[in-house]
Amino acid sequence: MTTPLEAVEPAVAQTAGSGDERPIHRGTLRYALSKAGGALLSIAMVIVGTFFVFRLLPGDPVRTLAQGRNMTPEQLDLERHRLGLDKPLIEQFFDFVGRTLRLDLGTSYEFKRPVLDLIGERLPATLLLAGVGLVIAVSLGLWQGTRAGWRPGSRFDRFSTGVSLVLWSVPTFWLGLLLLMVFAAGIGPIPGIFPTRGIESVDAPDGFAYILDVGMHMVLPCLTLVGVVYAQYLLVMRSSLLEEVSQDYVTVARAKGLRDDEVRSRHAIPNALLPTVTLVFMRIGFVVGGAVTVEAIYSWPGLGQLFYRAIKVPDFALMQGTFMLITVSVILMNTLADVVYHVLDPRVRSA
């Protein structure tokens, strides 16, 4: 005779994927290869689109860079020839594709340095800011989403969901400027506490004091990033947990006398985490690209600010290089998320 305790375990194991004993390596490999093929096709489309879309932007980079230098038309033509902008568009495209396949992103018009070197210098600042923001957003969203989804309709659920939706709806630049005005410049009785720009002070100290100085510069940009991002994790986790709570295995687990905390932590949350794991992997791709708006507002010396500066010229080589890094990172992380989801959830493998 099967006891309720014995009856609930197969259901929990089947839902969580631990009871699926079928060999999955061959199917997973085929699935991963198909996703990799799709990713390569997407990257090829990005390479083509990146070149032609940016050529539609208004402005002449040679004239922009020559402002205030009193250059003659002959000198402008000579500079245009040096940059290769006097070639037919199709020839420029094939040159761009050839260099890209050799991992050569060209030379920046404005900085007169290889684009890869500029990206390498700015990437650590972006990873620091966006990485810390992502960790905080994921932690906050999962915690609030778990509490809200386990007690739907409660005061905490209504408050946390309402606040997150409001912040998610607010334009990033508006929230950033508001925080900058209130907590950096100061308004009324509120003094300016945090720095207004950059990653460090001009007279930055050494050692632990330097870490504190960088941390003070990160507070407002991180708050801006977290405020407009964490609602995604909250809502996905809340929705997933609500779906799991209605499953039979949760009902049986409660019927056998398990405490709510135990049912939630051992059974419901592990299964509800699957969609959130996918979302986290997708957001990692955006971490590499950084937040263009946030970095522009706070003059954060990362890839976002570099891309924003390249648009104003327009510096085609720099725009193409930074944009391709952003989009390729997103494509690769989306592909990895699909494969991870396929491995973790047996329902996807059997579909």
Side-chain angles (χ1 to χ4, degrees), residues 20-38:
D20 191 352
E21 300 295 340
R22 293 175 300 170
I24 63 173
H25 299 292
R26 184 175 302 174
T28 300
L29 180 59
R30 286 198 301 266
Y31 184 82
L33 289 176
S34 67
K35 289 297 179 180

Side-chain angles (χ1 to χ4, degrees), residues 125-200:
T126 290
L127 291 177
L128 175 64
L129 174 62
V132 171
L134 178 66
V135 171
I136 296 174
V138 170
S139 304
L140 182 63
L142 291 183
W143 174 70
Q144 291 194 357
T146 300
R147 288 197 58 183
W150 193 249
R151 301 247 190 272
S154 63
R155 183 178 302 176
F156 180 85
D157 177 29
R158 296 194 301 269
F159 176 78
S160 60
T161 304
V163 171
S164 65
L165 286 175
V166 169
L167 291 175
W168 197 11
S169 305
V170 169
T172 304
F173 74 89
W174 185 87
L175 180 61
L177 291 176
L178 180 65
L179 293 176
L180 191 65
M181 180 179 63
V182 174
F183 296 106
I187 183 172
I190 303 177
I193 303 174
F194 301 103
T196 58
R197 58 180 298 163
I199 191 174
E200 61 185 19

Side-chain angles (χ1 to χ4, degrees), residues 136-289:
I136 296 174
V138 170
S139 304
L140 182 63
L142 291 183
W143 174 70
Q144 291 194 357
T146 300
R147 288 197 58 183
W150 193 249
R151 301 247 190 272
S154 63
R155 183 178 302 176
F156 180 85
D157 177 29
R158 296 194 301 269
F159 176 78
S160 60
T161 304
V163 171
S164 65
L165 286 175
V166 169
L167 291 175
W168 197 11
S169 305
V170 169
T172 304
F173 74 89
W174 185 87
L175 180 61
L177 291 176
L178 180 65
L179 293 176
L180 191 65
M181 180 179 63
V182 174
F183 296 106
I187 183 172
I190 303 177
I193 303 174
F194 301 103
T196 58
R197 58 180 298 163
I199 191 174
E200 61 185 19
S201 302
V202 177
D203 54 346
D206 297 326
F208 184 71
Y210 175 77
I211 298 177
L212 291 178
D213 181 67
V214 174
M216 289 291 289
H217 283 79
M218 286 181 59
V219 171
L220 294 184
C222 271
L223 280 178
T224 306
L225 282 175
V226 171
V228 298
V229 167
Y230 88 97
Q232 302 176 47
Y233 304 105
L234 187 155
L235 296 176
V236 170
M237 187 63 189
R238 179 182 182 275
S239 175
S240 301
L241 194 57
L242 283 174
E243 183 178 350
E244 295 300 327
V245 167
S246 63
Q247 298 295 321
D248 292 339
Y249 74 90
V250 174
T251 304
V252 176
R254 284 170 165 169
K256 72 177 185 180
L258 294 180
R259 293 181 294 107
D260 263 12
D261 290 343
E262 193 172 1
V263 175
R264 178 178 57 190
S265 61
R266 287 183 54 189
H267 302 315
I269 291 180
N271 296 329
L273 276 174
L274 291 175
T276 310
V277 168
T278 304
L279 183 61
V280 170
F281 274 100
M282 293 171 63
R283 291 299 306 181
I284 290 176
F286 290 100
V287 166
V288 178

